[in-house]
PDB file of all heavy atoms in Angstrom:
ATOM      1  N   MET A   1      -0.551   5.559  29.181  1.00  0.00           N
ATOM      2  CA  MET A   1      -1.346   5.794  27.915  1.00  0.00           C
ATOM      3  C   MET A   1      -2.163   7.090  28.011  1.00  0.00           C
ATOM      4  O   MET A   1      -2.741   7.364  29.071  1.00  0.00           O
ATOM      5  CB  MET A   1      -2.257   4.698  27.754  1.00  0.00           C
ATOM      6  CG  MET A   1      -1.684   3.362  27.667  1.00  0.00           C
ATOM      7  SD  MET A   1      -2.880   1.949  27.413  1.00  0.00           S
ATOM      8  CE  MET A   1      -3.461   2.272  25.688  1.00  0.00           C
ATOM      9  N   ASP A   2      -2.017   8.008  27.117  1.00  0.00           N
ATOM     10  CA  ASP A   2      -2.850   9.227  26.966  1.00  0.00           C
ATOM     11  C   ASP A   2      -4.183   8.887  26.831  1.00  0.00           C
ATOM     12  O   ASP A   2      -4.573   8.069  25.874  1.00  0.00           O
ATOM     13  CB  ASP A   2      -2.217  10.132  25.859  1.00  0.00           C
ATOM     14  CG  ASP A   2      -0.891  10.605  26.209  1.00  0.00           C
ATOM     15  OD1 ASP A   2      -0.532  10.929  27.427  1.00  0.00           O
ATOM     16  OD2 ASP A   2      -0.072  10.841  25.270  1.00  0.00           O
ATOM     17  N   ILE A   3      -5.198   9.478  27.510  1.00  0.00           N
ATOM     18  CA  ILE A   3      -6.531   9.265  27.314  1.00  0.00           C
ATOM     19  C   ILE A   3      -7.052  10.221  26.140  1.00  0.00           C
ATOM     20  O   ILE A   3      -6.763  11.472  26.272  1.00  0.00           O
ATOM     21  CB  ILE A   3      -7.355   9.594  28.718  1.00  0.00           C
ATOM     22  CG1 ILE A   3      -6.845   8.652  29.794  1.00  0.00           C
ATOM     23  CG2 ILE A   3      -8.829   9.411  28.249  1.00  0.00           C
ATOM     24  CD1 ILE A   3      -7.271   8.910  31.079  1.00  0.00           C
ATOM     25  N   PRO A   4      -7.668   9.727  25.232  1.00  0.00           N
ATOM     26  CA  PRO A   4      -8.058  10.551  24.084  1.00  0.00           C
ATOM     27  C   PRO A   4      -9.208  11.536  24.503  1.00  0.00           C
ATOM     28  O   PRO A   4      -9.893  11.334  25.469  1.00  0.00           O
ATOM     29  CB  PRO A   4      -8.798   9.635  23.144  1.00  0.00           C
ATOM     30  CG  PRO A   4      -8.276   8.194  23.453  1.00  0.00           C
ATOM     31  CD  PRO A   4      -7.917   8.228  24.894  1.00  0.00           C
ATOM     32  N   ALA A   5      -9.191  12.656  23.847  1.00  0.00           N
ATOM     33  CA  ALA A   5     -10.201  13.631  24.140  1.00  0.00           C
ATOM     34  C   ALA A   5     -11.583  13.141  23.784  1.00  0.00           C
ATOM     35  O   ALA A   5     -11.807  12.415  22.812  1.00  0.00           O
ATOM     36  CB  ALA A   5     -10.077  14.875  23.186  1.00  0.00           C
ATOM     37  N   GLY A   6     -12.522  13.365  24.691  1.00  0.00           N
ATOM     38  CA  GLY A   6     -13.899  12.856  24.545  1.00  0.00           C
ATOM     39  C   GLY A   6     -14.145  11.668  25.345  1.00  0.00           C
ATOM     40  O   GLY A   6     -15.337  11.174  25.506  1.00  0.00           O
ATOM     41  N   LEU A   7     -13.163  11.067  25.986  1.00  0.00           N
ATOM     42  CA  LEU A   7     -13.234   9.938  26.846  1.00  0.00           C
ATOM     43  C   LEU A   7     -12.842  10.301  28.313  1.00  0.00           C
ATOM     44  O   LEU A   7     -12.083  11.090  28.591  1.00  0.00           O
ATOM     45  CB  LEU A   7     -12.379   8.635  26.428  1.00  0.00           C
ATOM     46  CG  LEU A   7     -12.706   8.043  25.001  1.00  0.00           C
ATOM     47  CD1 LEU A   7     -11.711   7.019  24.786  1.00  0.00           C
ATOM     48  CD2 LEU A   7     -14.100   7.722  24.866  1.00  0.00           C
ATOM     49  N   SER A   8     -13.502   9.478  29.227  1.00  0.00           N
ATOM     50  CA  SER A   8     -13.122   9.632  30.592  1.00  0.00           C
ATOM     51  C   SER A   8     -12.917   8.256  31.201  1.00  0.00           C
ATOM     52  O   SER A   8     -13.549   7.260  30.772  1.00  0.00           O
ATOM     53  CB  SER A   8     -14.184  10.249  31.418  1.00  0.00           C
ATOM     54  OG  SER A   8     -15.464   9.673  31.437  1.00  0.00           O
ATOM     55  N   VAL A   9     -11.883   8.157  31.964  1.00  0.00           N
ATOM     56  CA  VAL A   9     -11.511   6.883  32.703  1.00  0.00           C
ATOM     57  C   VAL A   9     -11.503   7.062  34.149  1.00  0.00           C
ATOM     58  O   VAL A   9     -11.157   8.127  34.676  1.00  0.00           O
ATOM     59  CB  VAL A   9     -10.111   6.444  32.105  1.00  0.00           C
ATOM     60  CG1 VAL A   9      -9.536   5.207  32.839  1.00  0.00           C
ATOM     61  CG2 VAL A   9     -10.123   6.391  30.593  1.00  0.00           C
ATOM     62  N   LYS A  10     -12.058   6.036  34.735  1.00  0.00           N
ATOM     63  CA  LYS A  10     -12.052   5.819  36.175  1.00  0.00           C
ATOM     64  C   LYS A  10     -11.497   4.581  36.645  1.00  0.00           C
ATOM     65  O   LYS A  10     -11.624   3.566  35.929  1.00  0.00           O
ATOM     66  CB  LYS A  10     -13.520   5.748  36.808  1.00  0.00           C
ATOM     67  CG  LYS A  10     -14.197   7.106  36.642  1.00  0.00           C
ATOM     68  CD  LYS A  10     -15.590   7.024  37.229  1.00  0.00           C
ATOM     69  CE  LYS A  10     -16.429   8.240  36.825  1.00  0.00           C
ATOM     70  NZ  LYS A  10     -17.785   8.085  37.307  1.00  0.00           N
ATOM     71  N   VAL A  11     -10.602   4.587  37.659  1.00  0.00           N
ATOM     72  CA  VAL A  11     -10.001   3.414  38.173  1.00  0.00           C
ATOM     73  C   VAL A  11     -10.441   3.050  39.614  1.00  0.00           C
ATOM     74  O   VAL A  11     -10.452   3.934  40.429  1.00  0.00           O
ATOM     75  CB  VAL A  11      -8.385   3.526  38.158  1.00  0.00           C
ATOM     76  CG1 VAL A  11      -7.785   2.070  38.686  1.00  0.00           C
ATOM     77  CG2 VAL A  11      -7.887   3.663  36.681  1.00  0.00           C
ATOM     78  N   GLU A  12     -10.974   1.852  39.752  1.00  0.00           N
ATOM     79  CA  GLU A  12     -11.426   1.426  41.132  1.00  0.00           C
ATOM     80  C   GLU A  12     -10.574   0.213  41.656  1.00  0.00           C
ATOM     81  O   GLU A  12     -10.243  -0.647  40.894  1.00  0.00           O
ATOM     82  CB  GLU A  12     -12.863   1.013  41.073  1.00  0.00           C
ATOM     83  CG  GLU A  12     -13.790   2.065  40.769  1.00  0.00           C
ATOM     84  CD  GLU A  12     -15.271   1.590  40.700  1.00  0.00           C
ATOM     85  OE1 GLU A  12     -15.509   0.566  41.307  1.00  0.00           O
ATOM     86  OE2 GLU A  12     -16.082   2.259  40.096  1.00  0.00           O
ATOM     87  N   ASN A  13     -10.131   0.177  42.879  1.00  0.00           N
ATOM     88  CA  ASN A  13      -9.384  -0.734  43.553  1.00  0.00           C
ATOM     89  C   ASN A  13      -8.216  -1.205  42.719  1.00  0.00           C
ATOM     90  O   ASN A  13      -7.731  -2.304  42.904  1.00  0.00           O
ATOM     91  CB  ASN A  13     -10.333  -2.028  43.715  1.00  0.00           C
ATOM     92  CG  ASN A  13     -11.437  -1.726  44.565  1.00  0.00           C
ATOM     93  OD1 ASN A  13     -11.425  -0.852  45.346  1.00  0.00           O
ATOM     94  ND2 ASN A  13     -12.566  -2.524  44.439  1.00  0.00           N
ATOM     95  N   ASN A  14      -7.613  -0.289  42.056  1.00  0.00           N
ATOM     96  CA  ASN A  14      -6.364  -0.500  41.253  1.00  0.00           C
ATOM     97  C   ASN A  14      -6.500  -1.597  40.217  1.00  0.00           C
ATOM     98  O   ASN A  14      -5.438  -1.868  39.552  1.00  0.00           O
ATOM     99  CB  ASN A  14      -5.062  -0.990  42.251  1.00  0.00           C
ATOM    100  CG  ASN A  14      -4.761   0.204  43.075  1.00  0.00           C
ATOM    101  OD1 ASN A  14      -4.964   1.380  42.683  1.00  0.00           O
ATOM    102  ND2 ASN A  14      -4.331  -0.097  44.289  1.00  0.00           N
ATOM    103  N   THR A  15      -7.588  -2.240  40.071  1.00  0.00           N
ATOM    104  CA  THR A  15      -7.786  -3.368  39.140  1.00  0.00           C
ATOM    105  C   THR A  15      -9.004  -3.038  38.125  1.00  0.00           C
ATOM    106  O   THR A  15      -8.987  -3.970  37.020  1.00  0.00           O
ATOM    107  CB  THR A  15      -7.960  -4.653  39.714  1.00  0.00           C
ATOM    108  OG1 THR A  15      -9.062  -4.751  40.612  1.00  0.00           O
ATOM    109  CG2 THR A  15      -6.592  -5.063  40.614  1.00  0.00           C
ATOM    110  N   LYS A  16      -9.822  -2.266  38.400  1.00  0.00           N
ATOM    111  CA  LYS A  16     -11.032  -2.156  37.553  1.00  0.00           C
ATOM    112  C   LYS A  16     -11.045  -0.734  36.882  1.00  0.00           C
ATOM    113  O   LYS A  16     -10.868   0.251  37.513  1.00  0.00           O
ATOM    114  CB  LYS A  16     -12.301  -2.222  38.409  1.00  0.00           C
ATOM    115  CG  LYS A  16     -12.540  -3.661  38.948  1.00  0.00           C
ATOM    116  CD  LYS A  16     -13.820  -3.731  39.701  1.00  0.00           C
ATOM    117  CE  LYS A  16     -13.844  -5.198  40.302  1.00  0.00           C
ATOM    118  NZ  LYS A  16     -14.831  -5.437  41.271  1.00  0.00           N
ATOM    119  N   ILE A  17     -11.136  -0.873  35.514  1.00  0.00           N
ATOM    120  CA  ILE A  17     -11.058   0.368  34.683  1.00  0.00           C
ATOM    121  C   ILE A  17     -12.380   0.503  33.993  1.00  0.00           C
ATOM    122  O   ILE A  17     -12.865  -0.251  33.376  1.00  0.00           O
ATOM    123  CB  ILE A  17      -9.835   0.250  33.637  1.00  0.00           C
ATOM    124  CG1 ILE A  17      -8.614   0.078  34.275  1.00  0.00           C
ATOM    125  CG2 ILE A  17      -9.814   1.500  32.813  1.00  0.00           C
ATOM    126  CD1 ILE A  17      -7.464  -0.412  33.344  1.00  0.00           C
ATOM    127  N   GLU A  18     -12.978   1.698  34.229  1.00  0.00           N
ATOM    128  CA  GLU A  18     -14.253   2.068  33.521  1.00  0.00           C
ATOM    129  C   GLU A  18     -13.959   3.185  32.575  1.00  0.00           C
ATOM    130  O   GLU A  18     -13.509   4.235  32.948  1.00  0.00           O
ATOM    131  CB  GLU A  18     -15.244   2.469  34.490  1.00  0.00           C
ATOM    132  CG  GLU A  18     -16.590   2.716  33.824  1.00  0.00           C
ATOM    133  CD  GLU A  18     -17.699   3.195  34.783  1.00  0.00           C
ATOM    134  OE1 GLU A  18     -17.362   3.668  35.905  1.00  0.00           O
ATOM    135  OE2 GLU A  18     -18.935   3.144  34.235  1.00  0.00           O
ATOM    136  N   ILE A  19     -14.355   2.995  31.284  1.00  0.00           N
ATOM    137  CA  ILE A  19     -14.098   3.968  30.210  1.00  0.00           C
ATOM    138  C   ILE A  19     -15.494   4.443  29.746  1.00  0.00           C
ATOM    139  O   ILE A  19     -16.251   3.465  29.482  1.00  0.00           O
ATOM    140  CB  ILE A  19     -13.237   3.383  29.046  1.00  0.00           C
ATOM    141  CG1 ILE A  19     -11.945   2.713  29.484  1.00  0.00           C
ATOM    142  CG2 ILE A  19     -13.000   4.449  28.016  1.00  0.00           C
ATOM    143  CD1 ILE A  19     -11.290   1.778  28.556  1.00  0.00           C
ATOM    144  N   THR A  20     -15.722   5.746  29.787  1.00  0.00           N
ATOM    145  CA  THR A  20     -16.968   6.271  29.288  1.00  0.00           C
ATOM    146  C   THR A  20     -16.859   7.220  28.258  1.00  0.00           C
ATOM    147  O   THR A  20     -15.771   8.016  28.301  1.00  0.00           O
ATOM    148  CB  THR A  20     -17.777   6.857  30.448  1.00  0.00           C
ATOM    149  OG1 THR A  20     -16.931   7.805  31.133  1.00  0.00           O
ATOM    150  CG2 THR A  20     -18.132   5.746  31.477  1.00  0.00           C
ATOM    151  N   GLY A  21     -17.823   7.389  27.368  1.00  0.00           N
ATOM    152  CA  GLY A  21     -17.680   8.461  26.326  1.00  0.00           C
ATOM    153  C   GLY A  21     -18.997   8.364  25.385  1.00  0.00           C
ATOM    154  O   GLY A  21     -19.728   7.428  25.589  1.00  0.00           O
ATOM    155  N   ILE A  22     -18.945   9.341  24.454  1.00  0.00           N
ATOM    156  CA  ILE A  22     -20.131   9.262  23.469  1.00  0.00           C
ATOM    157  C   ILE A  22     -19.796   8.627  22.136  1.00  0.00           C
ATOM    158  O   ILE A  22     -20.762   8.330  21.517  1.00  0.00           O
ATOM    159  CB  ILE A  22     -20.577  10.760  23.426  1.00  0.00           C
ATOM    160  CG1 ILE A  22     -19.645  11.732  22.658  1.00  0.00           C
ATOM    161  CG2 ILE A  22     -21.156  11.269  24.668  1.00  0.00           C
ATOM    162  CD1 ILE A  22     -20.200  13.056  22.397  1.00  0.00           C
ATOM    163  N   ASP A  23     -18.569   8.546  21.810  1.00  0.00           N
ATOM    164  CA  ASP A  23     -18.178   7.945  20.573  1.00  0.00           C
ATOM    165  C   ASP A  23     -17.935   6.577  20.682  1.00  0.00           C
ATOM    166  O   ASP A  23     -16.896   6.226  21.326  1.00  0.00           O
ATOM    167  CB  ASP A  23     -16.864   8.796  19.999  1.00  0.00           C
ATOM    168  CG  ASP A  23     -16.700   8.404  18.536  1.00  0.00           C
ATOM    169  OD1 ASP A  23     -17.302   7.480  17.980  1.00  0.00           O
ATOM    170  OD2 ASP A  23     -15.793   9.083  17.993  1.00  0.00           O
ATOM    171  N   LYS A  24     -18.752   5.627  20.167  1.00  0.00           N
ATOM    172  CA  LYS A  24     -18.569   4.186  20.424  1.00  0.00           C
ATOM    173  C   LYS A  24     -17.275   3.747  19.695  1.00  0.00           C
ATOM    174  O   LYS A  24     -16.615   2.845  20.288  1.00  0.00           O
ATOM    175  CB  LYS A  24     -19.769   3.574  19.882  1.00  0.00           C
ATOM    176  CG  LYS A  24     -19.750   2.030  20.132  1.00  0.00           C
ATOM    177  CD  LYS A  24     -21.041   1.347  19.749  1.00  0.00           C
ATOM    178  CE  LYS A  24     -21.134  -0.020  20.203  1.00  0.00           C
ATOM    179  NZ  LYS A  24     -22.360  -0.700  19.729  1.00  0.00           N
ATOM    180  N   HIS A  25     -16.917   4.224  18.627  1.00  0.00           N
ATOM    181  CA  HIS A  25     -15.815   3.760  17.920  1.00  0.00           C
ATOM    182  C   HIS A  25     -14.460   4.144  18.644  1.00  0.00           C
ATOM    183  O   HIS A  25     -13.574   3.243  18.872  1.00  0.00           O
ATOM    184  CB  HIS A  25     -15.690   4.385  16.467  1.00  0.00           C
ATOM    185  CG  HIS A  25     -14.417   4.027  15.666  1.00  0.00           C
ATOM    186  ND1 HIS A  25     -14.223   2.766  15.144  1.00  0.00           N
ATOM    187  CD2 HIS A  25     -13.360   4.713  15.400  1.00  0.00           C
ATOM    188  CE1 HIS A  25     -12.959   2.732  14.584  1.00  0.00           C
ATOM    189  NE2 HIS A  25     -12.498   4.026  14.690  1.00  0.00           N
ATOM    190  N   LEU A  26     -14.454   5.284  19.089  1.00  0.00           N
ATOM    191  CA  LEU A  26     -13.263   5.805  19.832  1.00  0.00           C
ATOM    192  C   LEU A  26     -13.191   4.981  21.182  1.00  0.00           C
ATOM    193  O   LEU A  26     -11.959   4.640  21.530  1.00  0.00           O
ATOM    194  CB  LEU A  26     -13.243   7.319  20.153  1.00  0.00           C
ATOM    195  CG  LEU A  26     -12.192   7.895  20.840  1.00  0.00           C
ATOM    196  CD1 LEU A  26     -10.893   7.919  20.083  1.00  0.00           C
ATOM    197  CD2 LEU A  26     -12.536   9.389  21.091  1.00  0.00           C
ATOM    198  N   LEU A  27     -14.198   4.839  21.775  1.00  0.00           N
ATOM    199  CA  LEU A  27     -14.169   4.015  23.081  1.00  0.00           C
ATOM    200  C   LEU A  27     -13.723   2.678  22.961  1.00  0.00           C
ATOM    201  O   LEU A  27     -12.846   2.116  23.712  1.00  0.00           O
ATOM    202  CB  LEU A  27     -15.620   4.120  23.685  1.00  0.00           C
ATOM    203  CG  LEU A  27     -15.735   3.552  25.054  1.00  0.00           C
ATOM    204  CD1 LEU A  27     -16.349   4.394  26.038  1.00  0.00           C
ATOM    205  CD2 LEU A  27     -16.624   2.270  25.034  1.00  0.00           C
ATOM    206  N   GLY A  28     -14.232   2.021  21.855  1.00  0.00           N
ATOM    207  CA  GLY A  28     -13.869   0.610  21.574  1.00  0.00           C
ATOM    208  C   GLY A  28     -12.429   0.503  21.188  1.00  0.00           C
ATOM    209  O   GLY A  28     -11.701  -0.357  21.631  1.00  0.00           O
ATOM    210  N   GLN A  29     -11.952   1.467  20.364  1.00  0.00           N
ATOM    211  CA  GLN A  29     -10.553   1.507  19.992  1.00  0.00           C
ATOM    212  C   GLN A  29      -9.474   1.648  21.207  1.00  0.00           C
ATOM    213  O   GLN A  29      -8.614   0.929  21.317  1.00  0.00           O
ATOM    214  CB  GLN A  29     -10.191   2.656  18.894  1.00  0.00           C
ATOM    215  CG  GLN A  29      -8.821   2.611  18.429  1.00  0.00           C
ATOM    216  CD  GLN A  29      -8.449   1.383  17.683  1.00  0.00           C
ATOM    217  OE1 GLN A  29      -9.304   0.813  16.900  1.00  0.00           O
ATOM    218  NE2 GLN A  29      -7.223   0.921  17.770  1.00  0.00           N
ATOM    219  N   PHE A  30      -9.851   2.546  22.092  1.00  0.00           N
ATOM    220  CA  PHE A  30      -9.049   2.748  23.311  1.00  0.00           C
ATOM    221  C   PHE A  30      -9.020   1.589  24.168  1.00  0.00           C
ATOM    222  O   PHE A  30      -7.982   1.113  24.671  1.00  0.00           O
ATOM    223  CB  PHE A  30      -9.517   4.108  24.015  1.00  0.00           C
ATOM    224  CG  PHE A  30      -8.608   4.404  25.135  1.00  0.00           C
ATOM    225  CD1 PHE A  30      -7.293   4.803  24.883  1.00  0.00           C
ATOM    226  CD2 PHE A  30      -9.038   4.387  26.474  1.00  0.00           C
ATOM    227  CE1 PHE A  30      -6.407   5.053  26.001  1.00  0.00           C
ATOM    228  CE2 PHE A  30      -8.278   4.734  27.508  1.00  0.00           C
ATOM    229  CZ  PHE A  30      -6.842   5.069  27.231  1.00  0.00           C
ATOM    230  N   ALA A  31     -10.183   0.951  24.351  1.00  0.00           N
ATOM    231  CA  ALA A  31     -10.371  -0.286  25.193  1.00  0.00           C
ATOM    232  C   ALA A  31      -9.523  -1.492  24.655  1.00  0.00           C
ATOM    233  O   ALA A  31      -8.820  -2.129  25.361  1.00  0.00           O
ATOM    234  CB  ALA A  31     -11.813  -0.787  25.339  1.00  0.00           C
TER     235      ALA A  31
END
């Protein structure tokens, strides 16, 4: 999956995904 511009994604322990960004709508849509 391509990460949209304006969002950043971190993966921990191969099972935990953290998505951060300033646009709540875009973040919720990608999640």
Side-chain angles (χ1 to χ4, degrees):
M1 299 181 74
D2 291 325
I3 299 171
L7 296 181
S8 63
V9 176
K10 294 180 191 172
V11 177
E12 295 179 22
N13 299 333
N14 294 329
T15 58
K16 294 182 180 167
I17 303 170
E18 181 183 16
I19 310 165
T20 57
I22 61 173
D23 189 354
K24 188 174 185 179
H25 176 74
L26 182 63
L27 184 126
Q29 181 65 40
F30 186 63

